[in-house]
Amino acid sequence: QVRLVESGGGLVQAGGSLRLSCVASGNRFHINGMAWYRQAPGKQRELVATTTTSGPGHYTESVKGRFTISRDNAKNSVYLQMNSLKPEDTAVYYCHADGTFLSMSRAFHSWGQGIQVTVSS
């Protein structure tokens, strides 16, 4: 299995910034896509931003211009720089990765455990 561990969440005032990190670990795997999702209380999980081995892909409309996703392929890591945070950004943020196990040529989809981001007004 591929394990994802997030870090960097916490409490911040509106207008502030946070940087989330996610690192993947496991045996002999290749990651294709990495992404950040979030789930606010009482709401469905939504896609925030995606990235491929080539660079950033999609941003959900509500975070465009404020959030930046980046990736370090050598470290199997993905980051989410969040600026100009708003109370409505409050949610549990999840890292996701998809790819293949090299020894088995089998695909995987993995989720992190989630990390809380709280933005106070």
Side-chain angles (χ1 to χ4, degrees):
Q1 65 178 12
V2 174
R3 184 181 181 219
L4 302 178
V5 178
E6 300 107 334
S7 61
L11 173 65
V12 65
Q13 287 188 332
S17 298
L18 284 173
R19 186 175 187 249
L20 303 183
S21 300
C22 172
V23 60
S25 62
N27 284 329
R28 293 175 52 76
F29 61 93
H30 170 76
I31 296 177
N32 293 324
M34 301 190 83
W36 288 97
Y37 289 74
R38 66 186 180 186
Q39 187 166 18
K43 296 187 177 181
Q44 288 189 329
R45 190 174 298 187
E46 68 166 344
L47 178 64
V48 176
T50 66
T51 181
T52 67
T53 53
S54 306
H58 165 85
Y59 290 96
T60 194
E61 193 63 34
S62 62
V63 308
K64 285 181 180 179
R66 300 188 298 121
F67 290 12
T68 302
I69 190 170
S70 62
R71 179 170 169 175
D72 186 333
N73 293 322
K75 295 182 179 180
N76 289 321
S77 296
V78 64
Y79 311 95
L80 187 68
Q81 178 65 43
M82 304 184 294
N83 298 328
S84 301
L85 282 160
K86 304 176 181 180
E88 51 264 43
D89 295 317
T90 295
V92 177
Y93 284 70
Y94 296 90
C95 177
H96 177 268
D98 64 82
T100 55
F101 291 106
L102 300 180
S103 60
M104 294 176 282
S105 296
R106 180 168 61 88
F108 70 85
H109 289 263
S110 294
W111 290 93
Q113 80 284 357
I115 192 163
Q116 179 70 44
V117 170
T118 303
V119 184
S120 63
S121 57

